[in-house]
Amino acid sequence: MARRIVRTIIQVVCLSIVLAAAVFFLDLRYRVLPPRLHHFLPEHHAGTVVTDITFLSCTNFFSECIMDTKEGWTRINKDVYLGETWISQGFIHIKRKKEEELDKAAGEKLVVDIRVGRLEPPAEDGIKWESRPGGIWIRRQTKIVDDAVTAVDVLFGADAVEVRPGWVMREGSLTSGENARITIRKGPPLEFKKPVLRLKDHKFKIIQISDLHLSTGVGACRDAEPPSTAAGCEADPRTLDFITRILDEEKPDFAVLSGDQVNGDTAPDAQSAIFKFAEPFVKRKIPYATILGNHDDEGNLNREQIMKLTSTLPYSLSEVGPELGGIVKDRQGREGREGGVGNYYVEVKTQKGDHSALTIYFLDTHSYSPDEKNHRGYDWVKDTQIEWFKKTHASIKDHSNGYSFVHLDMAFIHIPLPEYRTAGAPYVGEYREPPTAPGFNSGFKDVLVNAGVSVVSAGHDHANEYCMLDKKGEQLNLWMCYAGGSGFGGYGGWGGYHRRVRLFEIDSPADRITTWKRVEYGDTEKRIDEQIIVEGGKVVHNP
């Protein structure tokens, strides 16, 4: 009996080794393991200083492109070639230690600065630059200083930006790879206190920006309007120029980015695209919040990773949200929570005090239908999310106690509700394309109505930019709006559609919500389809 047990254990161990080796080599080529195992961002560990940095390039066929970990090397898991070549891959590697572990007696050095370029930079403070592969130059010294380099990361694209507090992106790109840029942090991580939203002069302006479809790099324009502007059009710069112009003209108090900020197919490094959409708000100190669309996670980061990263950025009020439901797989086999991520709310408070004047709900509408046989097309708001919304709405009712006016509620989603295609319903704006709402109706619209939510606004269908009224007889229930697509990396092309954004203005004493749109081309100064959708705290329609 004992021999049989030992033999069985040996067989299990051998089989495990064989399976582990098979998975390792398959994952090396085809990434069969979950993305979270590849994107733990080891370069962000706190409490250490960088003692060396180098670049290692190798072939895909004969090397794992990993330096000796026993010598303390850690790989930044971003291939500088972005997987664009079958032949080569390359990675930045760094060494780091805790300050107290540095061997001062042996003259062990730490990195105090990094530069990128073909030519050696001028010496500083009598310290010469040391050359490393890929056009990297480093300065090292034995003396411990407060601004020693403590973290290194890689971003991509000529238009890459750095938005994290304490981080600085170095000029120039590596001599190898797809416009790979080195960014560094000196000193300890910096915390950024999340802003509190408040009414200003009893008013509050929200800009809704949807379907930016940003890439890693400048991206290519799709369906540029007018067609005469298509030649040489770079999608991301044109998109962001439009957004920054509207921000400077409208000066909103808060921005909602309602999905597909990242164009997954053209964003092999989603982090670079995320930083680009955050930069206009960070620069202007405008708080913003995001939800995910069906394309955001088609790059190298999954939905939870995207929301976690976004929630850490300055002025971001984004949240991962609670874990709703069990683990499920999408049609690509990726794991996630049944209720998704990014289900949360933010409150707009009175000018003084702690009373809530407006609650804004954000819900994940997921991606594609999990039951394509019976319900083709796109996914829907799940029962777990509906229960979360009901409980949350009930639990925060007393937040507005003592508020002198009517407390208002709004909601934002990416994929529209089935009711967005109600035949014969009145609407204001342009209904250019068939709404690609879910084939299954989970009843979330009725839940919003019962909770007293005045308006829900979506993205997803780029060329639709109407507000449709949900009503029952003479009872006006809810406005269902579209933002309209704003990004040139996504499609346009319906009836000469011009990219646009939607704005909402809350007037507290009048308990009023007004909405309008602004366009990228054409009548750029006009408030298009301006309408009052809530008056006296109630949904109204003034044709």
Side-chain angles (χ1 to χ4, degrees):
M1 179 65 71
R3 290 180 180 177
R4 185 180 301 170
I5 293 174
V6 171
R7 186 169 60 250
T8 302
I9 293 173
I10 293 173
Q11 290 172 339
V12 169
V13 170
C14 291
L15 180 61
S16 299
I17 292 172
V18 171
L19 288 174
V23 170
F24 173 79
F25 286 109
L26 282 171
D27 185 65
L28 192 63
R29 296 288 179 263
Y30 305 109
R31 286 296 191 257
V32 298
L33 294 174
R36 62 178 176 272
L37 298 182
H38 299 292
H39 303 287
F40 55 91
L41 299 179
E43 62 276 17
H44 299 165
H45 288 182
T48 59
V49 292
V50 175
T51 60
D52 205 350
I53 178 172
T54 193
F55 170 70
L56 177 65
S57 180
C58 49
T59 66
N60 279 327
F61 305 105
F62 304 109
S63 174
E64 299 172 13
C65 227
I66 298 175
M67 296 184 67
D68 192 348
T69 56
K70 294 180 181 179
E71 293 184 5
W73 288 104
T74 299
R75 189 177 80 175
I76 298 175
N77 284 329
K78 288 188 176 184
D79 176 12
V80 301
Y81 298 100
L82 290 173
E84 294 293 325
T85 172
W86 284 89
I87 301 173
S88 300
Q89 55 181 330
F91 297 89
I92 298 291
H93 289 73
I94 61 173
K95 278 185 179 180
R96 58 186 168 212
K97 279 189 176 181
K98 294 181 179 179
E99 287 186 3
E100 60 270 21
E101 295 176 352
L102 291 173
D103 191 346
K104 299 177 184 178
E108 189 171 12
K109 297 180 179 180
L110 65 155
V111 179
V112 294
D113 206 354
I114 299 174
R115 292 286 190 271
V116 180
R118 295 183 182 275
L119 301 178
E120 180 179 356
E124 296 181 20
D125 302 325
I127 303 174
K128 290 186 176 181
W129 293 88
E130 301 175 32
S131 176
R132 297 292 185 268
I136 299 172
W137 299 88
I138 64 173
R139 282 200 313 131
R140 297 196 297 171
Q141 65 183 39
T142 56
K143 182 182 177 181
I144 296 176
V145 292
D146 291 336
D147 62 347
V149 175
T150 54
V152 180
D153 203 353
V154 182
L155 299 174
F156 295 86
D159 60 341
V161 293
E162 178 60 85
V163 296
R164 293 170 291 186
W167 287 77
V168 178
M169 187 168 62
R170 291 310 186 201
E171 293 183 2
S173 57
L174 297 181
T175 54
S176 300
E178 297 290 320
N179 220 324
R181 316 281 299 277
I182 287 183
T183 179
I184 66 173
R185 187 187 70 215
K186 291 187 173 185
L190 299 179
E191 297 292 332
F192 192 89
K193 187 177 180 180
K194 289 188 178 292
V196 175
L197 303 182
R198 291 190 180 277
L199 298 174
K200 297 177 183 178
D201 296 325
H202 301 291
K203 291 186 178 182
F204 192 80
K205 186 185 288 187
I206 301 169
I207 184 170
Q208 183 188 1
I209 301 167
S210 196
D211 296 271
L212 287 167
H213 284 269
L214 300 179
S215 299
T216 302
V218 297
C221 287
R222 293 181 61 187
D223 303 327
E225 283 290 339
S228 59
T229 65
C233 178
E234 294 178 330
D236 292 7
R238 183 168 173 180
T239 298
L240 294 170
D241 283 348
F242 166 47
I243 297 304
T244 54
R245 173 175 66 82
I246 299 298
L247 293 179
D248 291 337
E249 291 175 1
E250 291 284 356
K251 295 179 170 54
D253 301 301
F254 180 53
V256 174
L257 289 88
S258 53
D260 283 356
Q261 287 77 245
V262 178
N263 193 55
D265 284 346
T266 59
D269 184 61
Q271 184 182 13
S272 295
I274 290 168
F275 287 4
K276 285 197 293 186
F277 79 64
E279 195 266 349
F281 309 105
V282 174
K283 183 177 180 180
R284 291 162 179 77
K285 300 181 180 180
I286 298 173
Y288 61 98
T290 64
I291 49 180
L292 297 176
N294 52 295
H295 291 297
D296 287 289
D297 61 337
E298 292 176 345
N300 66 317
L301 298 180
N302 65 29
R303 299 175 82 81
E304 184 174 356
Q305 290 166 339
I306 291 172
M307 289 304 294
K308 281 183 176 179
L309 176 60
T310 308
S311 69
T312 65
L313 300 181
Y315 296 97
S316 171
L317 295 179
S318 301
E319 295 181 18
V320 177
E323 295 183 349
L324 302 177
I327 299 295
V328 295
K329 290 185 178 182
D330 64 15
R331 65 183 188 181
Q332 283 81 33
R334 299 172 299 186
E335 290 186 350
R337 288 282 171 182
E338 179 194 22
V341 292
N343 301 289
Y344 62 105
Y345 70 94
V346 299
E347 291 190 291
V348 180
K349 298 186 177 182
T350 53
Q351 290 173 241
K352 297 179 180 179
D354 204 38
H355 304 309
S356 174
L358 170 71
T359 302
I360 307 172
Y361 295 92
F362 302 88
L363 287 103
D364 185 1
T365 48
H366 318 289
S367 295
Y368 305 98
S369 173
D371 184 7
E372 190 72 19
K373 181 179 179 180
N374 295 306
H375 306 290
R376 294 181 62 83
Y378 292 93
D379 210 341
W380 50 86
V381 177
K382 302 298 173 54
D383 290 343
T384 53
Q385 295 173 272
I386 291 175
E387 287 305 308
W388 168 82
F389 174 82
K390 288 179 178 178
K391 290 179 180 178
T392 301
H393 183 266
S395 69
I396 64 176
K397 275 186 175 180
D398 59 353
H399 290 194
S400 60
N401 288 346
Y403 178 51
S404 303
F405 307 107
V406 177
H407 177 272
L408 299 173
D409 292 293
M410 300 177 69
F412 289 92
I413 53 179
H414 178 71
I415 296 172
L417 302 174
E419 287 81 3
Y420 272 68
R421 53 187 174 217
T422 302
Y427 64 88
V428 176
E430 294 295 330
Y431 189 134
R432 290 184 177 87
E433 57 177 307
T436 53
F440 176 76
N441 193 334
S442 61
F444 186 54
K445 187 273 294 182
D446 292 335
V447 173
L448 292 173
V449 171
N450 292 336
V453 174
S454 305
V455 56
V456 58
S457 199
H460 190 56
D461 296 324
H462 301 182
N464 282 340
E465 32 90 359
Y466 59 82
C467 281
M468 178 175 283
L469 182 62
D470 179 76
K471 56 185 293 189
K472 187 174 182 179
E474 297 301 314
Q475 177 64 41
L476 309 185
N477 294 323
L478 172 75
W479 280 103
M480 300 177 292
C481 296
Y482 275 112
S486 57
F488 284 84
Y491 75 86
W494 289 79
Y497 173 79
H498 293 301
R499 270 68 175 185
R500 64 195 63 209
V501 297
R502 179 175 289 279
L503 293 109
F504 298 92
E505 186 171 66
I506 289 81
D507 185 327
S508 182
D511 303 316
R512 177 188 300 143
I513 300 178
T514 306
T515 187
W516 65 94
K517 293 158 291 189
R518 297 285 303 276
V519 294
E520 190 265 348
Y521 191 93
D523 202 348
T524 59
E525 304 298 321
K526 183 181 179 181
R527 289 187 169 191
I528 296 173
D529 293 329
E530 185 172 8
Q531 61 178 130
I532 296 173
I533 54 178
V534 175
E535 183 79 59
K538 296 183 178 181
V539 174
V540 295
H541 181 212
N542 299 310

